[in-house]
Amino acid sequence: MKNKNLISITDFSKEEYLQVLSLAEEFEKNPVQKIAEGKVVASLFFEPSTRTRLSFESAANRLGAKIVGFADSASSSTSKGESLVDTIKTVCCYSDLIVMRHPLEGSARLASEVATVPVINAGDGANQHPTQCMLDLYSIKKTQGTLDNLHIALVGDLKYGRTVHSLVEAMCNFNTTFHLVSPVSLKLPSSVKMHIKERNLTYYQYTEIQDAIDKVDILYMTRVQRERFLDIQDYEKVKNSCILEKSLMDNVKKSMKILHPLPRVNEIHSNVDSTPQAYYFQQAQNGVYVRQALISLILGLK
Amino acid sequence: MSKKELIVSAIENGTVIDHIASDKLFQVIKILNLENCSNQILFGTNLNSSKFGTKAIIKIQNKYFERYEINKIAIVAPTATLIKIANYEVIEKFNLNLPHEIEGIVKCFNPKCITNHEQVMQKFTVLDANQIKLQCHYCQKITKEETLNFL
């Protein structure tokens, strides 16, 4: 995997994801390994982010690498009108690896084509966010002991949620049964469902969370964003159908875990946080181990 | 016996683009920039076609098209046949096929695609040879006939 770019979840094979996940497990046991001393990681966030940027930087620090970069484009030459291509070519002179987030779709692919160092996509607009997907896979494997033959419910905005799309694509490799819970207007697009159908996997569609919750091993929650609706009344009608609260959890599987890519707004009531099924904050922590694994594999240190 | 007559006269040397859908004639003329071409050009539309009911045809004297131009025609008029003529004889005749990948012809319809903000060669994978379904190499979004714009 040395020098490989990670732009889209489909850039890595199933074997490669599994290799990342097993190395992440090793980092979880032993998080501080200064194997990247002397390496420089460029962290280019053309758009603000809390979790992704901090967990990448935390991962690089725990590996002993130094970080250069910026946390929003206002503090880079982009604000003077520099093109992305020029910024990337310049940053390559100063670093061994680029981690980038950018609001425009396809920006990371373009960066990887002009860069002389490997590029990890930390989110390009609504397009791809592959490291989120890898940490979701890691969290599923860690909590269920396996990725194979699971029942997964995906809840909320299945139409626009990029994490949902990548996760569906990745989980299609593991004989998953999908339970898709969303308002009718935010159903999983057919271009994503196509992957499920190609593998002859089973999926069910629901509009209410309670119809799926007792059947599944993983409940993957996402935000239903008000700005996706043209008519505010439509939003008011559906907003509560995808809200999880403790009273819905009386008959769930004991081993079921609730994931959420965060930030959440109101879709998971805070009374769920103390249940044994709540896993979303540990999930965010797993991001560091997965990113340590990715950085060290791409830099060729493991 | 009725006398057969060519509605659009024959050319001595050049290219005939036949079997264009009638309503695509002017689009083909536009994307090939024929309005700025000084060669002799004959064209007709809403002509009878045994294959399609009606069709359009363009005949261009002394002009043979490059690959990228042929790809453009294939996107607008996938049913077209290209015929190369020399000394009033057909020297080559072929149906158009969309290539697997196209570059530098079409604009990605997605306003948030990086290619609409930086100077980048637009690249697409052709997902379906029979309809316009072009997946952007960068943003992955699919440009369809309704959202098609040429560069």
Side-chain angles (χ1 to χ4, degrees):
Chain A
M1 240 178 277
K2 189 179 175 184
N3 289 329
K4 200 163 173 169
N5 298 304
L6 176 56
I7 306 302
S8 149
I9 193 69
T10 50
D11 290 349
F12 278 26
S13 65
K14 179 181 174 183
E15 290 66 35
E16 284 172 322
Y17 314 143
L18 294 174
Q19 194 188 346
V20 174
L21 302 191
S22 76
L23 185 57
E25 251 171 73
E26 202 186 291
F27 278 111
E28 181 166 4
K29 286 181 202 132
N30 184 10
V32 183
Q33 299 184 40
K34 301 275 182 193
I35 55 175
E37 255 165 358
K39 298 284 184 190
V40 177
V41 173
S43 163
L44 310 184
F45 280 71
F46 295 88
E47 140 185 290
S49 138
T50 313
R51 255 160 304 279
T52 308
R53 183 170 67 82
L54 295 182
S55 84
F56 260 114
E57 296 188 2
S58 164
N61 270 308
R62 287 181 180 178
L63 293 168
K66 289 278 184 287
I67 295 153
V68 296
F70 46 83
D72 76 273
S73 58
S75 54
S76 76
S77 284
T78 307
S79 61
K80 299 178 196 160
E82 185 175 53
S83 72
L84 174 65
V85 167
D86 286 4
T87 305
I88 296 295
K89 282 182 177 166
T90 310
V91 171
C92 287
C93 307
Y94 312 139
S95 61
D96 302 293
L97 169 69
I98 292 174
V99 173
M100 69 173 273
R101 167 168 290 191
H102 195 285
L104 293 174
E105 298 163 27
S107 52
R109 178 72 66 204
L110 175 63
S112 72
E113 289 175 351
V114 297
T116 51
V117 302
V119 175
I120 298 179
N121 181 6
D124 58 331
N127 186 31
Q128 291 279 330
H129 189 5
T131 63
Q132 175 70 45
C133 183
M134 292 217 176
L135 79 90
D136 292 340
L137 293 178
Y138 183 78
S139 302
I140 295 170
K141 182 160 185 267
K142 192 177 153 189
T143 58
Q144 305 300 324
T146 177
L147 289 170
D148 295 308
N149 311 317
L150 296 172
H151 282 252
I152 296 189
L154 299 152
V155 182
D157 178 358
L158 308 187
K159 186 172 180 185
Y160 299 102
R162 64 182 173 194
T163 59
V164 167
H165 302 170
S166 309
L167 187 60
V168 168
E169 253 186 280
M171 287 307 293
C172 279
N173 288 308
F174 301 99
N175 194 35
T176 304
T177 303
F178 295 94
H179 299 262
L180 309 172
V181 185
S182 71
V184 174
S185 54
L186 296 177
K187 275 181 7 183
L188 195 71
S190 53
S191 57
V192 183
K193 249 181 233 161
M194 177 183 88
H195 299 289
I196 304 177
K197 290 178 183 164
E198 273 170 8
R199 301 284 183 125
N200 287 319
L201 298 175
T202 308
Y203 69 94
Y204 303 95
Q205 299 192 94
Y206 315 84
T207 51
E208 303 289 330
I209 218 168
Q210 53 264 44
D211 297 334
I213 192 167
D214 299 342
K215 301 173 187 160
V216 300
D217 303 298
I218 293 287
L219 188 68
Y220 193 95
M221 298 291 298
T222 63
R223 211 152 28 110
V224 175
Q225 289 164 286
R226 186 191 294 252
E227 56 270 28
R228 301 293 189 205
F229 289 85
L230 293 172
D231 184 344
I232 193 71
Q233 282 185 321
D234 289 344
Y235 169 75
E236 293 298 329
K237 264 185 239 158
V238 300
K239 70 170 188 190
N240 293 325
S241 61
C242 291
I243 290 186
L244 178 64
E245 61 157 286
K246 205 175 170 182
S247 61
L248 297 171
M249 292 173 56
D250 293 341
N251 299 309
V252 300
K253 288 190 188 179
K254 283 218 161 51
S255 59
M256 189 271 269
K257 292 292 175 206
I258 303 160
L259 305 186
H260 191 303
L262 302 180
R264 72 166 153 179
V265 182
N266 63 343
E267 60 279 7
I268 304 178
H269 194 281
S270 57
N271 66 16
V272 177
D273 294 0
S274 55
T275 66
Q277 281 77 23
Y279 193 73
Y280 23 95
F281 292 108
Q282 289 98 312
Q283 180 189 1
Q285 186 179 6
N286 291 338
V288 178
Y289 311 129
V290 169
R291 290 175 176 123
Q292 280 182 289
L294 278 168
I295 293 171
S296 44
L297 286 167
I298 290 174
L299 288 176
L301 305 168
K302 282 277 183 181
Chain B
M1 218 172 81
S2 68
K3 190 184 165 199
K4 279 209 167 183
E5 197 178 309
L6 281 178
I7 295 176
V8 178
S9 325
I11 52 171
E12 185 178 352
N13 293 297
T15 304
V16 175
I17 311 168
D18 199 0
H19 301 121
I20 302 168
S22 291
D23 59 342
K24 298 289 191 230
L25 172 70
F26 292 100
Q27 212 181 342
V28 174
I29 289 173
K30 185 160 181 263
I31 53 147
L32 294 174
N33 197 23
L34 295 182
E35 58 257 62
N36 296 315
C37 173
S38 54
N39 301 22
Q40 197 178 85
I41 302 170
L42 306 165
F43 61 84
T45 188
N46 299 322
L47 308 175
N48 291 332
S49 161
S50 50
K51 240 177 167 177
F52 300 106
T54 68
K55 67 171 186 181
I57 191 166
I58 305 174
K59 299 184 178 186
I60 306 146
Q61 184 82 352
N62 297 325
K63 166 103 181 150
Y64 298 102
F65 289 104
E66 304 284 336
R67 187 73 243 173
Y68 81 94
E69 293 171 304
I70 295 172
N71 287 344
K72 279 187 175 180
I73 306 169
I75 293 168
V76 180
T79 57
T81 311
L82 220 76
I83 305 158
K84 289 185 182 175
I85 309 280
N87 291 322
Y88 295 106
E89 299 285 330
V90 172
I91 52 168
E92 198 184 344
K93 181 172 180 172
F94 56 93
N95 293 325
L96 296 183
N97 285 312
L98 279 177
H100 184 59
E101 281 174 345
I102 57 169
E103 275 191 27
I105 299 176
V106 172
K107 197 168 137 52
C108 180
F109 85 102
N110 175 10
K112 296 187 91 179
C113 178
I114 188 74
T115 58
N116 290 316
H117 298 262
E118 292 251 336
Q119 289 189 326
V120 196
M121 173 73 91
Q122 305 251 4
K123 284 190 235 174
F124 295 87
T125 304
V126 178
L127 293 183
D128 186 334
N130 301 313
Q131 337 170 9
I132 304 294
K133 267 189 159 182
L134 309 173
Q135 184 169 38
C136 176
H137 167 74
Y138 292 98
C139 76
Q140 312 282 302
K141 295 281 182 299
I142 296 167
T143 297
K144 296 180 187 165
E145 193 168 0
E146 314 81 91
T147 50
L148 193 67
N149 267 307
F150 290 92
L151 285 172

